[in-house]
Amino acid sequence: MDRSDMLQLQQQVSLAKSVRHRCNEWIFRDVPSDITIEVAGVTFSLHKFPLVSRSGRIRRLVAEHRDSDISKVELLNLPGGAESFELAAKFCYGINFEITPGNVAQLCCVSDYLEMTEEFAKDNLGSRAEEYLESIVSKNLEMCVEVLQQCENLLPLADELKVVSRCIDAIASKACSEQIASSFSRLEYSSSGRLHMSKQTKCESDWWIEDISVLRVDLYERVITAMKCRGVRPESIGVSLVNYAQRELTKKSSLWNPSGQTKVDFVTGSNGQEQIVVETIVSLLPVEKLAVPINFLFGLLRSAVMLDCSVACRLDLERRIGSQLDIATLDDLLIPSFKHSADTLFDVDTVHRILVNFSQQDDSEEDMDDTSVFESDSPRSPSQSALFKVSKLLDNYLAEIAPDANLKLSKFVVIADSLPSHARTIHDGLYRAIDIYLKAHQGLPDIDKKKLCKLIDFQKLSPEAGAHAAQNERLPLQCMVQVLYFEQLRLRNALSNSCADEDYKPSHQSWRISSGALSAAMSPRDNYASLRRENRELKLELTRLRMRLNDLEKEHVCIRRDMQKSSSRKFINSFSRKFSKMSIFGHSSSRGSSSPSKHSQRTDSKVIERTCTSAE
């Protein structure tokens, strides 16, 4: 017998002594007892008449052994044990005691077990307990929570008698009604006379969060599920889940603060219970984004990885984190690896799956059929902004894991290539991470170095990073040549732009930037919107040219008429005057587009040449 069994036996012995001592205080001693009841190792010397007058079960047992004059009855599996039977026996003897939230669940269960119903006596124990439960407990949330705590040791009978379900429904209904009342109290009129809800950091109607956090995880799950069905706000559900997780997983407090200590005090005996807690909390998470903080999701993910929770639990967390990865920090992504010591320091596989979830979400948003999104004149869509944030976060993460000697090249490349090509507008961060990896893995073959450097677009390096790369001996020779070539090309473009004509520079430079330079840094959706705008401008320009051509043809007809009516000298003077009116082509920028295309200029020259030829 181990130590825990010894302690449990000692508790049972002390409980039996205390119950026996209390019984000696209220049992009638002037009348000798004629029946002995044994419950969970505790014996009660009682009298048949008070018991059979209210308990149908004891009446039936005594009637079945009437011929043998039964004197001892053992009640097996009585809910609540000896304490519950003591209360039922007191009720049978007419001794007053107070029904409280701490014993009403026991009374409901023991009265059902002993069949103490209205069929055998009026105002029996069962009806008394039901009345107290309905009229007192169900109207108070704290009492309902206390009753549920007592029901933890009375299952499944307390559930069959609907004691648990009634308390859960009462808690959910009370929390929902108070939240609605609090919402109405927060309504106020603005200065413009419009009705709106005032902003508060914490709602006063969420006081129930602390109360229900004392429940066992299975009952807590049922309470939260009932609250969801009743319409309690997702933000309140999220706060409750965070509070319950911090209460139940205190032994792993360092998991919730990754910037703190990394050593975890782990208790093997609580492994299974904490695993159930994590999986239950994940299943209860609201579907709405930002209902819980993202660092809490990462804390749950660390716990799920360490406790070896189910695959579905971890995948659900990774999907939730991927949907809002743009608000994560570097400390969130640094998930320790809980595998054997020969593996990497950080769990890069989990981070890679999170990045894949984020990329797939971004792709699904880009595939929307709503053309109004593409026709928006905004320079960048929200998804593109999220891509930029995640790309910076990813580059910092790569630089953090690059010094790990056990990090394989294939894993580094897969993580670096997780985002689409248009996610990075500048490759300085990626170049820095790759340079750190090359410095930490100096024995890397040239073929692997080339494979690694293919991730870098040397055209997207800043001048400072390009100058560093041109002198970096860790890079392959071919990459250094590419860097020098692009640096020379950049210098040549800068010199040619500085020597260009000032009148030519604004129109054509703006045209080049709008159609070329930014397109490389845009997502396919933004590129498509830019092309649509340029296409509309070209169509407008062609329409203006058609109108000019029609005017020109009218002028040409008039010129031919003048030629027939006048002499050649007068015709030349008339043609000169008409031609001076056609100088409109030279001022088209004031009436037309501010940045005409080369196609429009070629069309204008052809029209003038055609006009002169016709005139001759």
Side-chain angles (χ1 to χ4, degrees), residues 108-123:
C108 289
C109 293
V110 74
S111 62
D112 179 79
Y113 181 88
L114 295 175
E115 301 177 14
M116 300 177 68
T117 61
E118 296 297 307
E119 181 182 353
F120 301 99
K122 187 178 180 180
D123 291 335

Side-chain angles (χ1 to χ4, degrees), residues 37-39 46 50-61 73-79 81-92 106-117 120 124-126 157 161:
I37 306 294
E38 183 178 355
V39 179
L46 304 174
L51 297 178
V52 299
S53 64
R54 289 187 176 273
S55 173
R57 188 184 188 97
I58 296 179
R59 179 184 298 184
R60 187 172 61 255
L61 291 174
V73 175
E74 182 180 4
L75 300 178
L76 302 175
N77 301 323
L78 188 141
E83 290 186 356
S84 296
F85 180 77
E86 181 185 359
L87 294 175
K90 282 184 177 181
F91 185 84
C92 293
Q106 294 179 350
L107 296 178
C108 289
C109 293
V110 74
S111 62
D112 179 79
Y113 181 88
L114 295 175
E115 301 177 14
M116 300 177 68
T117 61
F120 301 99
N124 213 340
L125 182 61
L157 183 58
L161 297 176

Side-chain angles (χ1 to χ4, degrees), residues 240-258:
S240 177
L241 293 173
V242 172
N243 184 75
Y244 190 81
Q246 291 175 344
R247 184 186 183 95
E248 292 294 320
L249 302 173
T250 52
K251 291 170 184 165
K252 298 174 180 55
S253 58
S254 62
L255 293 175
W256 309 100
N257 185 16

Side-chain angles (χ1 to χ4, degrees), residues 8 10 36 50 72 155 214 222 251 391 393 398 515 595:
Q8 186 176 3
Q10 290 177 1
T36 301
K72 186 175 182 180
L155 297 175
V214 300
R222 295 177 61 178
K251 291 170 184 165
S391 65
L393 177 65
L398 290 171
S515 62
S595 58

Side-chain angles (χ1 to χ4, degrees), residues 126 166 316 365 406:
R166 279 183 288 182
D316 187 18
E365 290 181 357
N406 294 326

Side-chain angles (χ1 to χ4, degrees), residues 353-423:
R353 289 193 295 270
I354 292 174
L355 289 168
V356 170
N357 279 295
F358 173 79
S359 300
Q360 290 176 349
Q361 177 211 13
D362 182 69
D363 291 340
S364 63
E365 290 181 357
E366 289 182 356
D367 291 338
M368 290 186 299
D369 294 329
D370 188 5
T371 56
S372 62
V373 177
F374 297 107
E375 294 177 355
S376 175
D377 291 330
S378 59
R380 288 176 185 173
S381 61
S383 61
Q384 185 67 22
S385 174
L387 267 177
F388 291 161
K389 294 178 181 178
V390 174
S391 65
K392 293 181 180 179
L393 177 65
L394 177 58
D395 291 344
N396 292 331
Y397 177 77
L398 290 171
E400 194 71 25
I401 66 174
D404 189 357
N406 294 326
L407 181 61
K408 296 180 180 179
L409 176 66
S410 58
K411 288 189 175 182
F412 186 90
V413 172
V414 166
I415 294 178
D417 202 25
S418 299
L419 298 180
S421 58
H422 61 271

